[in-house]
């Protein structure tokens, strides 16, 4: 295991490039199971979660090649297994995204139940309910979802709640179903729309993705094609928040401001001066301390839960008090205990965190508990006086490509060492 050592107190300055979106790359890679033809993918980020899904597809018999420019070619001509084992699903819940494509194209799938995880119970009942409505026979045996179908048929599905991977799984299943499927109360996240755009390149007939009603006219088969994954809006927001906590001035490139309006508005409320172009965003704190803000997380286009922990770090050093309410996941405040160790003043009240900002955050040894929690600790470490060491940073490698290289490029003092090492 490794840890990150950060010597805080340096305002971030400079430019970095944003990587492709993890949460678009994962469903798009899973969706490659729907076609037997070659598919070329670009802007796939180098992340542990991508390695996990690539291993899963490889174990099933999918042919995957990587060229020198990090483009991936995937071809699922025929499969040797329809099985997603517990060992892989346990490390990455999004592995459940192979269920819809396997069932739809091959008529069978055995996918491990994801089980509990650090940020709540996160069931998959909505995924299963949707596929059952399309004619799948589903049973749960020995911790596995066992699904079968001769050929799925179209259905009208009303999601009981908004779920991102649930919407994606059903959309993928419907792409090859017989007839029309309508998903009401669908997730509107940009990554859902990116997946639909990708499937349409392969010959699917999907309209309405990006709105709460998606219509999918099933086709008999999908072909090949090339696709460039959209930029990562959460990575974008995380670096902008890092500049905010350090009172810095940065420009992020290869990104899209239209994907993060709710985040940009909150950062402006903290006092940040923001400029945007079609594919870049600059943020300047003009050396000032950020003001604390009130935030309530909710599905897109509202403020994303995946930026909640990072904004907690902003409030931890902000002027005044701010209340952050988490409405998407229960138990997503694991970073709070660690921020307290660094001198933050935060009180949890149910699903809200009331934070009185301090300008005296200090370094401390802390532990990463999940992906976005670790980002929050990195931000706090960058803003704190003295040294912070963050253990269990494998969480951060799941979702941030080259985080120390990018932060070093912005002037941060950060490096990685083995966990046993003292310095
Ligand atoms: C996706 C994102 C994750 C993000 C989350 C919310 C990916 C790979 N991951 O996760 O980064 O934090 O959206 O924006 O895209 N729920 C049910 N039953 C279901 C499905 C979900 O009750 O069948 C609940 C969950 O417990 C949670 C809420 O719905 O409380 C939203 O979860 P969901 O949108 O499904 O999250 P993921 O798709 O797992």
């Amino acid at each position: 295991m490794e840890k990150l050592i950060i010597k805080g107190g340096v305002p971030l300055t400079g430019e970095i490039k944003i990587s492709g979106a993890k949460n678009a790359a994962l469903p798009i890679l899973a969706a490659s199971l729907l076609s037997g033809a070659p598919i070329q993918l670009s802007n796939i980020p180098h992340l542990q979660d991508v390695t996990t899904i690539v291993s899963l597809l490889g174990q099933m018999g999918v042919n995957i090649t990587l060229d020198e420019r990090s483009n991936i070619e995937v071809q699922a001509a025929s499969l040797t297994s329809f099985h997603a084992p517990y060992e892989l699903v346990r490390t990455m819940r999004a592995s459940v995204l192979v269920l819809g494509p396997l069932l739809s194209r091959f008529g069978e799938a055995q996918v491990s139940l994801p089980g509990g995880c650090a940020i709540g119970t996160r069931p998959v009942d909505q995924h299963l309910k949707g596929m059952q409505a399309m004619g799948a026979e589903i049973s749960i045996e020995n911790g596995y979802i066992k699904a079968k179908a001769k050929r799925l048929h179209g259905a009208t599905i009303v999601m009981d709640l908004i779920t991102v991977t649930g919407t994606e799984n059903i959309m993928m299943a419907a792409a090859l179903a017989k007839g029309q499927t309508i998903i009401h109360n669908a997730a509107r996240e940009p990554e859902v729309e990116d997946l639909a755009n990708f499937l349409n390149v392969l010959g699917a007939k999907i309209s309405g993705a990006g709105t709460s009603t998606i219509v999918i006219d099933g086709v008999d088969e999908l072909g090949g094609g090339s696709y460039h994954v959209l930029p990562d809006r959460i990575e974008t927001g995380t670096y902008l928040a890092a500049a905010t906590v350090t009172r810095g001035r940065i420009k992020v490139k290869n990104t899209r401001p239209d994907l993060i309006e709710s985040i940009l508005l909150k950062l402006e409320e903290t006092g940040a001066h923001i400029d945007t172009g079609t594919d870049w965003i600059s943020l300047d704190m003009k050396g000032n301390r950020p003001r604390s803000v009130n935030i309530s997380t909710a599905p897109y286009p509202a403020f994303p839960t995946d930026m909640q922990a990072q904004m907690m770090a902003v409030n931890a050093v902000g002027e005044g008090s701010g209340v952050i309410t988490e409405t998407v996941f229960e138990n997503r405040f694991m970073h709070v205990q660690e921020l307290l160790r660094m001198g933050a003043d935060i009180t949890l009240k149910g699903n809200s965190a009331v934070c009185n900002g301090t300008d005296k955050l200090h370094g401390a040894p802390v532990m990463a508990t999940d992906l976005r929690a670790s980002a929050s600790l990195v931000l706090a470490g960058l803003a704190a006086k003295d040294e912070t060491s963050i253990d269990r940073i494998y969480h951060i490698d799941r979702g941030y490509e080259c985080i120390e290289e990018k932060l070093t490029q912005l002037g941060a003092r950060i490096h990685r060492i083995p966990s046993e090492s003292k310095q």
Side-chain angles (χ1 to χ4, degrees):
M1 273 208 259
E2 294 174 315
K3 55 185 177 184
L4 281 177
I5 305 292
I6 301 174
K7 290 196 174 81
V10 182
L12 297 187
T13 52
E15 296 186 357
I16 49 160
K17 281 187 183 161
I18 296 302
S19 303
K22 167 178 92 70
N23 286 353
L26 297 176
I28 285 173
L29 280 160
S32 65
L33 287 166
L34 285 165
S35 164
I39 294 166
Q40 295 80 30
L41 300 172
S42 52
N43 210 27
I44 298 277
H46 289 253
L47 297 171
Q48 188 51 45
D49 275 7
V50 169
T51 308
T52 303
I53 198 138
V54 164
S55 322
L56 179 56
L57 296 177
Q59 279 185 20
M60 290 175 177
V62 178
N63 216 333
I64 301 166
T65 49
L66 195 71
D67 76 10
E68 64 286 352
R69 292 169 61 213
S70 298
N71 297 326
I72 293 187
E73 180 161 310
V74 192
Q75 187 169 12
S78 61
L79 291 197
T80 49
S81 150
F82 308 108
H83 182 81
Y86 176 64
E87 294 67 44
L88 282 178
V89 181
R90 185 171 59 97
T91 62
M92 189 186 70
R93 212 181 160 278
S95 312
V96 76
L97 285 166
V98 300
L99 180 65
L102 285 177
L103 186 62
S104 192
R105 176 154 167 238
F106 300 97
E108 69 169 294
Q110 298 96 39
V111 177
S112 169
L113 275 172
C117 87
I119 57 171
T121 47
R122 300 179 87 176
V124 289
D125 56 303
Q126 297 299 309
H127 304 228
L128 305 187
K129 208 174 124 184
M131 289 180 218
Q132 278 166 328
M134 297 168 73
E137 281 172 38
I138 297 182
S139 60
I140 307 288
E141 289 170 38
N142 308 324
Y144 276 78
I145 305 163
K146 298 206 168 167
K148 273 197 172 155
K150 279 217 173 66
R151 182 173 179 192
L152 294 176
H153 56 73
T156 295
I157 295 162
V158 182
M159 309 294 277
D160 294 334
L161 48 82
I162 298 176
T163 151
V164 177
T165 49
T167 302
E168 292 167 344
N169 231 341
I170 294 168
M171 192 163 79
M172 291 187 283
L176 291 180
K178 191 169 173 53
Q180 187 174 74
T181 299
I182 303 177
I183 309 175
H184 292 291
N185 201 25
R188 290 185 279 165
E189 268 65 4
E191 295 76 19
V192 174
E193 196 177 345
D194 209 42
L195 172 64
N197 292 343
F198 165 68
L199 289 169
N200 284 341
V201 165
L202 303 188
K205 294 205 170 111
I206 302 174
S207 58
T211 76
S212 54
T213 303
I214 303 178
V215 179
I216 306 117
D217 286 299
V219 297
D220 289 339
E221 60 174 13
L222 294 178
S226 302
Y227 197 74
H228 189 81
V229 171
L230 94 170
D232 198 309
R233 64 194 163 98
I234 304 301
E235 190 198 21
T236 305
T238 301
Y239 284 105
L240 293 176
T244 304
V245 290
T246 59
R247 310 181 190 188
R249 179 175 159 212
I250 68 164
K251 183 173 184 182
V252 289
K253 300 193 297 188
N254 288 23
T255 188
R256 275 182 40 194
D258 60 306
L259 302 177
I260 61 162
E261 279 172 2
S262 63
I263 300 172
L264 294 181
L265 287 170
K266 276 298 158 195
L267 291 171
E268 274 178 339
E269 257 187 63
T270 72
H273 298 261
I274 292 175
D275 266 328
T276 59
T278 38
D279 64 352
W280 59 266
I281 304 166
S282 69
L283 179 146
D284 188 354
M285 288 305 288
K286 300 203 186 283
N288 294 322
R289 184 177 170 191
R291 288 188 293 270
S292 297
V293 287
N294 297 328
I295 290 174
S296 185
T297 65
Y300 193 85
F303 195 90
T305 173
D306 285 351
M307 274 298 295
Q308 179 257 105
Q310 299 86 319
M311 292 308 288
M312 194 79 78
V314 174
N315 277 359
V317 299
E319 216 172 305
S321 335
V323 181
I324 297 187
T325 303
E326 172 59 57
T327 75
V328 180
F329 290 115
E330 65 203 80
N331 199 17
R332 200 176 197 179
F333 282 135
M334 313 259 281
H335 41 289
V336 167
Q337 285 306 323
E338 302 301 301
L339 291 173
L340 295 182
R341 293 169 52 75
M342 300 176 69
D345 175 0
I346 306 172
T347 312
L348 290 179
K349 289 187 180 151
N351 65 342
S352 292
V354 182
C355 183
N356 299 312
T358 170
D359 60 357
K360 296 197 172 50
L361 221 54
H362 52 76
V366 289
M367 185 98 83
T369 48
D370 70 54
L371 170 55
R372 305 305 168 185
S374 30
S376 163
L377 299 177
V378 169
L379 266 52
L382 291 169
K385 292 197 172 60
D386 334 310
E387 184 174 289
T388 297
S389 70
I390 308 176
D391 211 341
R392 302 209 175 158
I393 51 152
Y394 56 86
H395 289 290
I396 214 161
D397 296 329
R398 291 187 45 207
Y400 291 92
E401 182 173 55
C402 305
I403 188 160
E404 31 326 0
E405 284 86 340
K406 289 189 186 185
L407 285 172
T408 303
Q409 215 173 312
L410 297 173
R413 292 175 297 182
I414 179 169
H415 64 280
R416 185 182 289 243
I417 58 168
S419 273
E420 314 70 69
S421 160
K422 289 238 175 326
Q423 192 37 257

